[in-house]
Amino acid sequence: MINNELIKEVEEIFYSDHSGHDFAHTERVMRLAVKLAECEGADAELVALAALLHDVDDYKLTGKSLGGTERARALLEKYGYCGETIELVAEIIRTVSFKGKDTETPGTLEGKIVQDADRLDAIGAIGIARAFQYGGAHSRKMYDPADPPKKEMSAEEYVNSRSTTINHFYEKLLLIRDLINTESAKLIAVERHKYLEGFLSRFLAEWNGEL
Ligand code: ADP
Ligand code: NI
């Protein structure tokens, strides 16, 4: 469905990332997004393409500002996609990412699905593992009871936050279930959310010497 060379180029972009944005994340998002597209009656090819490219312009990888689409556009042009597809994919990529309370909802069903799949990969067992991987890669403390979570952060505050990994659960991960766009993704989110809550209560009980 998607050119193998394009997939390989995207894989190379994420080759040296071990901070929660490795290519395996992109592969999981693609697989889940295509499954959601089938359940929701969306354009599976557009969904797969946007999922494949959804993180190539991430500011943490490119060092550029939030919401860029240059790298995705260049790849789509290189592989001969038409202008209409390029615009649709670029708009999905721009709107998909989490930006605290400045987070946007994509205008198309395909965008909503990619956003859901990306968010689902941030919760559940894999989401927990990614959060601690990110925390380690960015020299964050796991937990500090003297540093409470901040709610309602703006995009700028979220990007510049130096918070602990446990705070990230309250600042993002536990908010995801109620931000999901599609019914098919909601069913998965409910299960993964419960898993987060179970993990947190166990973590805090062990921290406090209650278990
Ligand atoms: P996405 O791939 O959904 O755009 P992000 O770029 O926000 O996600 O983050 C990538 C991964 O790193 C996610 O699993 C996210 O939960 C995790 N992460 C991001 N910021 C933090 C943080 N401050 N502490 C712990 N984990 C984080
Ligand atoms: Ni992502």
Side-chain angles (χ1 to χ4, degrees):
M1 201 157 76
I2 296 178
N3 186 311
N4 262 333
E5 291 302 309
L6 170 57
I7 297 179
K8 264 201 227 141
E9 269 204 54
V10 174
E11 187 170 2
E12 277 161 25
I13 291 176
F14 298 107
Y15 186 71
S16 57
D17 186 280
H18 303 290
S19 64
H21 263 135
D22 53 12
F23 186 63
H25 162 65
T26 290
E27 285 184 309
R28 287 190 302 270
V29 173
M30 264 177 91
R31 199 173 51 221
L32 192 51
V34 168
K35 198 171 104 183
L36 294 174
E38 282 158 8
C39 298
E40 298 284 327
D43 178 341
E45 177 142 20
L46 178 60
V47 161
L49 202 53
L52 174 68
L53 297 170
H54 86 277
D55 270 336
V56 298
D57 283 291
D58 190 285
Y59 66 94
K60 295 186 233 59
L61 290 170
T62 60
K64 295 196 181 149
S65 58
L66 268 172
T69 55
E70 296 85 353
R71 191 131 78 171
R73 284 175 184 277
L75 282 166
L76 290 166
E77 271 167 30
K78 179 172 170 187
Y79 287 91
Y81 286 94
C82 68
E84 195 191 339
T85 303
I86 297 178
E87 289 315 313
L88 283 168
V89 172
E91 181 58 12
I92 293 176
I93 296 170
R94 194 188 65 72
T95 49
V96 152
S97 69
F98 185 87
K99 309 178 201 81
K101 68 176 161 57
D102 297 329
T103 297
E104 290 182 58
T105 302
T108 58
L109 175 59
E110 286 73 18
K112 290 185 171 82
I113 285 173
V114 175
Q115 189 176 59
D116 282 352
D118 192 30
R119 285 171 169 172
L120 287 174
D121 203 53
I123 58 176
I126 298 240
I128 294 171
R130 289 179 75 212
F132 285 99
Q133 188 179 35
Y134 180 101
H138 291 82
S139 310
R140 303 282 167 81
K141 281 187 193 172
M142 282 203 299
Y143 177 52
D144 182 354
D147 174 13
K150 264 177 103 176
K151 289 256 174 81
E152 297 275 302
M153 283 193 282
S154 67
E156 204 192 336
E157 285 171 317
Y158 177 73
V159 166
N160 294 318
S161 164
R162 299 274 322 145
S163 221
T164 68
T165 301
I166 289 294
N167 279 353
H168 185 65
F169 282 68
Y170 297 97
E171 290 163 355
K172 173 179 173 184
L173 308 187
L174 291 169
L175 311 181
I176 285 177
R177 182 192 57 188
D178 297 329
L179 294 171
I180 292 289
N181 303 304
T182 65
E183 286 308 311
S184 328
K186 181 90 188 200
L187 295 173
I188 304 172
V190 166
E191 286 308 308
R192 295 191 184 190
H193 185 94
K194 281 191 208 143
Y195 195 81
L196 291 184
E197 287 180 328
F199 170 80
L200 272 178
S201 66
R202 179 92 205 186
F203 183 100
L204 296 172
E206 287 182 20
W207 187 282
N208 295 323
E210 292 159 10
L211 279 175

